Structure formats: C-alpha cells, structure tokens
Amino acid sequence: MKTAHCPSCGAPVAFRSASSLYAVCEFCRSTLLRDGEALKNLGRMAELMDDPSRIQLGTEGSFRGTHFAVIGRIQLKYDAGLWNEWHLLFDDGRSGWLSEAGGEYVVSSLVPVDAELPAFDALQPEMPVTIAGRIFFVADLQTARCIAGAGELPFKVESGYDVNTADLRGNDRFVTIDYSETPPLVFVGYPAQFDELGLANLKADGDASPGSVVKATAFNCPHCAAPLTIHSGAIESIGCVSCGSILGVENDKVRLLAQAAQQMKVVPWLPLGSKGTLNGVAWEAIGFLRRSTRSEGVEYAWSEYLLFNAEAGFAWLTEYQGHWNFARTLPKPPTVARGQMSFSYQRKLFKRFSAGMAEVTYVEGEFYWRVSIGESCLVEDFICPPRMLSRELTDKEVTWSAGEYLEPEALCAAFGITTPPPKRIGVYANQSNPLHERHRKVWQLFWPLALAATCVQLFFVFFVSSQVVLKQPLVLSAANDEALTTREFVLDAPVRSLRVKHRTDVDNNWIGLNTTLVEKNSGEAYQGAQEISYYSGSEGGERWSEGSRDDAISFRNVPAGTYYLNVEYELGGDRNVNPRVVDTIEVIGNPVPWSNYVLVILFLLAFPLFSRWRRNAFEAERWSESDLGGDNDSDDEDE
C-alpha cells in the first residue's frame, strides 16, 4: 500500500492496488491522479446518491475461494434505477468489478478481445454475438449516466457523462460491453448471490434485522399533498395512492411524471408496508400494480406486488384469480429461441403456456423503474409445475424471472394477514396437481397387490391338487364315422371340475365333437358338444388365419369313480383332401381357473385407471386456459 496526501485538504490518500491510477479523497471529494509519488488534483467529484446498497469502501468478501476487498466505486443511473460498480482488489493481486443492480450481483474482470465487436446501435435484445469463439445473447441495452465515483479507480471518472452498455448472457457467463472507449471494453463475469460472497464490514444501517432498509424519506405528493415515503435510493417512481399521479424521483426531488388515467381505485389485498418472511428472507411490500393482456378478444388482468429487502434486493408476488406466485429475476436464464415450445432447464422440462402483450393499467407505491400507465412488453410463460419461467421482452432488454406457486395459506401465514385471500378460480398455469401424488401412491399400491394376486394364482397352478388323469391321442378318420372310446381313468375323490381339452391338427377344416363322460360302474353320463375349426392362407403377400385348433369343455361336480370318454365326431370339407385329424385328449381334474385371477386384476386396475383419469382431467383444465394450445400429457414415470 502506498500513501500520499491530498493536495487540496492534506488528508491521507492510500493506494492499495498497482492498477489504481485515480482516487477520490473521502474528505474533500477531490479527484486525484497518481503522478509518481505525488498526487495531482483534477477537480471536485460530485456527491454519491443515497442507495440501498450495504456495500461500502472497505467491505471484504470472497469469490471462488479468493479473498477480495472493495477499494473503489462508480455509481451510474439508468432507466431502471441506480447501478453500482465496485472496484475489487483480490489477494492474488488481480483487480475486478462487482456489479450491483436491483439486488443482482455479478463479479467480472476486464478481458482483452481482438475480434471486432458490433456497434451499439446495431444490437437488439436476444441477438447472438460471438466473442472469443463463444456465442452470447444480448439481454440488456442501456445508456447509463455516471453520477460519481469514490475510492481507487483504474481510470478517470467524471460525473455527467453517458455510457452505452450492452449486457450479454451465455450459459453461466455474463458479458458487459462498455462502449465508452474505442475499441469497446469487454468485461466477463459470473452472477453471484449475496450470501455466496460472504461479505463483511457492511454498512451498519442494515445490521438491525435481515429485512431492514435504508432510512425512509417522507414527503408530500406535489399534486394532492398526500403523504408519501421512499424506502430505497433505488426507487425511480411512486404511484400516489390518493390521486393516482405517477411521480419521478431524482436527487431527493420529486416531480410529476403523469396523471394516471385510472378510472377506478384498486385496493390491494396485501397492504403496502406489510412485512413478512418468504424463503428465509424478510420482505416488505412497497409497490402494487395491475397488468392485463388480451387474447382472442378476452382481457386477462392480474396483480403484482413489489417486495424489497436491503440485502436481497427486489422480488415479486403475483396474483391471478386467487392463485399466487413468488418470483425473482433469474440470474442464469436459459437460451430459448423465439417461438420455441419447450426446453430443458435445470433438468426439468418447461412447456410454453401463454404469450401476449402485457400492459400496465394501475400503479400504486414505489418502483425501481419509471413505471407508467400503458407501459407494455411481450410476456411469455413456460411452466413445469409448480415452477414457472417468464420472459419479458422490450426493444431494450429481455429479462427472465423464476416463479414458484405459493399456497394462499402460506402467504397469509408469512405476512400475518387475517383477511381472507381472493377465492381461487379454476386451475392456474403452474399450480401443482394435487392428484398427481395421490395417483402415484395408488400405482405404488397396485403393483404389490397385483404381485400378491399373481403369486397366489401361481401357487394354485403349481402346488394345488390339479392333476392330469388322462392323455391319449385319437385318430378321427373321414373313412370311419364310428364313435371312439378312450382308456379308463380313475377319480379317487370327487372333483369340482373336470376339464376335457382337445388338441387337434385340423387345417382349413372343421370338426364337430360330441364328448360323453361315462362312469363305468353306474353308467352315469355327462355330455358336451363343441365345434373346432381352423383356416389359414395368404392374400396380397400377407398371411392370415382364423379360428383355433384347440378347444376344451368342463364337467362340474364329478363324483369319484372309474370313467372313460366316448367321442362322436364329424369331419367337414372334402374327405379326400382332409382324410384324417389327430386329436390329443387331455383330462385334468380340478384345473386352476384363471378367470378369477383376471377379475381380481381388473378390479385392482380400476383404481389407478380412475385416479389417472382424475389427474388428467386436472391437467386438461389447466391447458384449457393456455392460449397456445399445449398438451396435457402427464409424466407417468411413477407408473
């Protein structure tokens, strides 16, 4: 570290980084150029604007295992609010930047690029740009104005100059092209969460609680004199609750931007100023707006609540017909072509559900951009219940947000709201299917029950007293129409069922059979008639067949005794072509029936089929609300 004294006020000025050529005196705000061992005064730096950032000069943290310290700062202002670039010095001597805007953080560093870059005016949102052999997509185009600088900086910073910047994204990388110089400067970085950075030595203003905010500023509406409050320096506009005016915020001064064309007062269900904890973060509701879109002549309107936390930044609560979502800006958005119907993101399949122009119709409270009535953008929603990814596209930027369905009861508990929430109507796009888990459990129960029924059936087939008491081939000759008699067989005990099965080699013919079961001693007889036919051939090069060569009859409740079969038969067709048929007769005592097993399986199967129908009916109702069609096929991996 090198230390010199400010030539303006004499205060000590330290340079910790060898790459720092400029410094801003923290006492007199003079911009100082390091010239050898001396400092040259280049003029007074403008004052920094108050903002919600808890980072300050001297803040320390860690990124990817390397410790860093914040040694400088540039503050810029753009349409969406304030934007901080914190100059970092890593322990290994590298310098970098920590970008902070709207609660999003990106750690980046300057990277030399030899290839020619497209002009700023030629860029459009989602346009592909190739840098160092990799393809990135334009996410944001802004003209930011530098407000002020502080601490050590590698280049001269002056307030009041405009900087054209293009933010590009590709997979997990974030690229910023700074057009303030020729050729443009390229910064490559990675998004990071506040907690991942392990920041220490933060501003004391936020130490009281996780949800504390920058000190609020109270003032009166210049149109109707109603009391208003600004919770954050990042706030760009306020919708007056009393008169509907939209106010712009600039340097602690409020000016009237527009008189809202709001014909009807909309009362938010969640009062502004409500505080609650969601996903472990303490939030405060500071803004409320209504947006609507039109599809096939029908207008669909929904509510959005802006939430704020000093550390986490901003988040959203959205409500449509009693259905709620908690959403945040997506730091690592997917790459999705326009018109693409589905894509995979984090190993989940998202399907496009709806698309349309969303327009702001009502505004109340604070917002981090210059909101206006009639403001519109193209919105596309992709769903993988209970998650939803939404893309919003304007002529300057494309932003992605990730939402998750929130049960109204959980929302009431989080914010301590006792007023009943809006009644839920229908099925929402990313509402979890409550019947999916039930259907999965029904299928899980079906398989062991079906297996148990199968095991019982097989046990009877192989181990219960089913026995073959006769097996004998008979030759049925066209030249001999006399009845045939089988060998005798003995039934030692009465049988519930005696099955007589005929296995023949009949081909392109039929046989009429009259089978009589005769008890040798008593002469008691049991008779059955049947016809067996089988035909086959080819037509148009394809084989065909009909009928069967085998058939069986059963005799019920047969007493014990000595029996034989008397078989009378008639052969059809041309006797010269089909002179004989071999019939192998098999007699089985107490055969195990399969009909009961089939009935049991069908009975068990009825439950998962009914459950599946109910689940699919829920999905059909969901997709009936989609303006893009879509499909309601369900994932049956659990089956």
Side-chain angles (χ1 to χ4, degrees):
M1 178 185 296
K2 293 187 178 181
T3 303
H5 293 275
C6 175
S8 178
C9 67
V13 178
F15 286 86
R16 301 177 61 180
S17 173
S19 64
S20 298
L21 300 178
Y22 298 86
V24 178
C25 178
E26 61 178 311
F27 293 97
C28 67
R29 302 290 299 163
S30 295
T31 301
L32 307 175
L33 169 65
R34 185 165 68 175
D35 186 10
E37 298 297 326
L39 296 179
K40 182 178 180 181
N41 191 346
L42 301 181
R44 193 172 185 276
M45 176 64 70
E47 294 290 336
L48 293 163
M49 289 182 63
D50 186 26
D51 65 16
S53 177
R54 294 191 57 199
I55 302 175
Q56 61 182 349
L57 298 183
T59 293
E60 299 180 20
S62 177
F63 181 70
R64 297 194 170 183
T66 304
H67 176 268
F68 65 79
V70 177
I71 62 174
R73 175 190 190 183
I74 300 174
Q75 190 180 62
L76 302 102
K77 187 177 180 64
Y78 64 126
D79 290 343
L82 293 178
W83 167 18
N84 284 307
E85 290 286 352
W86 298 96
H87 188 204
L88 307 181
L89 176 62
F90 288 89
D91 284 359
D92 57 10
R94 295 180 297 114
S95 65
W97 294 90
L98 173 60
S99 175
E100 177 191 20
E104 292 187 9
Y105 300 88
V106 176
V107 179
S108 61
S109 58
L110 182 63
V111 174
V113 175
D114 297 330
E116 184 177 353
L117 299 172
F120 179 77
D121 294 338
L123 298 177
Q124 294 180 351
E126 296 192 318
M127 173 180 172
V129 177
T130 302
I131 300 177
R134 296 175 62 107
I135 298 178
F136 298 88
F137 295 87
V138 177
D140 189 20
L141 299 172
Q142 293 292 344
T143 298
R145 170 155 291 197
C146 180
I147 296 174
E152 300 177 47
L153 300 169
F155 47 79
K156 183 180 178 181
V157 171
E158 293 179 328
S159 63
Y161 75 90
D162 292 336
V163 180
N164 291 329
T165 63
D167 290 336
L168 293 77
R169 302 189 185 224
N171 295 328
D172 62 337
R173 296 192 182 186
F174 193 104
V175 174
T176 296
I177 304 178
D178 183 347
Y179 287 88
S180 62
E181 297 187 16
T182 303
L185 303 176
V186 177
F187 297 86
V188 178
Y190 300 86
Q193 298 295 325
F194 185 88
D195 295 340
E196 295 178 20
L197 298 173
L199 299 176
N201 192 24
L202 299 168
K203 286 182 182 177
D205 290 341
D207 290 346
S209 67
S212 60
V213 297
V214 178
K215 55 185 179 182
T217 302
F219 63 98
N220 296 98
C221 174
H223 190 268
C224 68
L228 299 173
T229 304
I230 300 177
H231 287 79
S232 166
I235 297 302
E236 283 289 304
S237 61
I238 303 174
C240 179
V241 178
S242 299
C243 66
S245 299
I246 300 179
L247 312 174
V249 180
E250 287 185 346
N251 296 321
D252 297 329
K253 295 180 181 180
V254 178
R255 66 185 177 88
L256 191 64
L257 288 180
Q259 177 70 32
Q262 300 169 162
Q263 302 298 323
M264 184 181 298
K265 167 70 175 176
V266 180
V267 179
W269 173 80
L270 181 66
L272 298 188
S274 300
K275 297 181 180 180
T277 301
L278 291 171
N279 296 341
V281 178
W283 300 99
E284 180 176 357
I286 64 172
F288 170 78
L289 58 80
R290 291 278 291 176
R291 293 208 289 177
S292 67
T293 186
R294 184 173 293 275
S295 176
E296 298 181 353
V298 180
E299 183 175 353
Y300 301 88
W302 66 93
S303 300
E304 298 187 4
Y305 296 83
L306 179 60
L307 306 180
F308 174 73
N309 174 278
E311 292 182 355
F314 298 98
W316 290 93
L317 279 176
T318 66
E319 180 269 327
Y320 174 73
Q321 294 187 341
H323 300 273
W324 294 86
N325 267 278
F326 176 74
R328 299 204 65 186
T329 301
L330 202 58
K332 300 177 182 179
T335 301
V336 181
R338 295 293 303 278
Q340 188 171 336
M341 297 301 295
S342 64
F343 61 89
S344 179
Y345 180 74
Q346 294 181 346
R347 298 183 180 180
K348 297 291 185 180
L349 179 64
F350 286 82
K351 300 178 182 179
R352 193 163 78 147
F353 186 85
S354 62
M357 296 300 297
E359 180 178 328
V360 177
T361 59
Y362 183 86
V363 175
E364 184 177 313
E366 307 169 43
F367 296 91
Y368 55 81
W369 80 96
R370 291 294 176 86
V371 66
S372 62
I373 301 299
E375 173 182 299
S376 63
C377 65
L378 176 63
V379 177
E380 290 181 297
D381 293 329
F382 299 84
I383 64 167
C384 177
R387 299 179 64 191
M388 173 186 287
L389 299 183
S390 299
R391 170 167 58 185
E392 297 190 7
L393 179 65
T394 67
D395 58 350
K396 282 190 175 182
E397 65 175 332
V398 56
T399 59
W400 283 84
S401 61
E404 186 165 358
Y405 192 84
L406 187 64
E407 294 293 337
E409 296 78 11
L411 180 63
C412 292
F415 283 85
I417 304 296
T418 57
T419 304
K423 183 179 179 181
R424 283 196 285 193
I425 300 175
V427 176
Y428 192 58
N430 64 322
Q431 181 180 359
S432 295
N433 190 334
L435 301 172
H436 180 79
E437 183 63 20
R438 185 179 304 174
H439 175 65
R440 186 180 66 84
K441 290 181 178 179
V442 170
W443 268 111
Q444 287 181 339
L445 182 61
F446 166 80
W447 291 116
L449 292 178
L451 178 61
T454 303
C455 291
V456 170
Q457 178 70 11
L458 294 177
F459 172 79
F460 279 101
V461 169
F462 292 105
F463 299 102
V464 176
S465 57
S466 173
Q467 57 179 339
V468 177
V469 294
L470 175 68
K471 189 172 184 180
Q472 179 180 350
L474 299 177
V475 177
L476 312 182
S477 174
N480 183 10
D481 292 337
E482 295 182 1
L484 301 177
T485 302
T486 67
R487 297 192 304 268
E488 296 178 356
F489 57 90
V490 178
L491 297 179
D492 297 327
V495 296
R496 301 183 310 274
S497 174
L498 189 70
R499 186 172 65 186
V500 178
K501 188 168 185 178
H502 295 269
R503 299 177 184 271
T504 72
D505 61 357
V506 64
D507 187 35
N508 287 317
N509 203 359
W510 59 270
I511 308 171
L513 294 171
N514 287 315
T515 305
T516 304
L517 175 67
V518 181
E519 206 284 318
K520 175 182 177 181
N521 298 317
S522 66
E524 185 175 1
Y526 306 84
Q527 192 172 31
Q530 61 201 124
E531 182 178 291
I532 300 175
S533 63
Y534 179 79
Y535 296 89
S536 65
S538 62
E539 184 176 350
E542 294 185 2
R543 294 287 301 175
W544 61 270
S545 64
E546 63 179 14
S548 174
R549 292 187 172 99
D550 305 331
D551 196 14
I553 58 174
S554 295
F555 300 102
R556 304 292 181 184
N557 300 319
V558 179
T562 302
Y563 292 87
Y564 63 87
L565 294 176
N566 192 24
V567 180
E568 297 178 356
Y569 64 91
E570 179 183 0
L571 282 176
D574 188 345
R575 299 191 174 195
N576 295 321
V577 177
N578 300 290
R580 52 173 273 175
V581 171
V582 177
D583 178 12
T584 300
I585 297 179
E586 187 176 64
V587 181
I588 305 172
N590 288 327
V592 178
W594 286 87
S595 58
N596 292 339
Y597 169 75
V598 173
L599 290 175
V600 169
I601 293 299
L602 291 177
F603 174 77
L604 295 176
L605 190 60
F607 292 94
L609 290 179
F610 178 71
S611 173
R612 178 190 178 96
W613 173 79
R614 293 187 63 201
R615 182 200 62 180
N616 289 355
F618 186 96
E619 292 299 321
E621 185 176 358
R622 179 203 309 279
W623 285 99
S624 68
E625 295 296 319
S626 170
D627 57 2
L628 299 173
D631 70 77
N632 58 0
D633 291 340
S634 299
D635 186 1
D636 292 333
E637 291 180 358
D638 54 330
E639 299 174 16

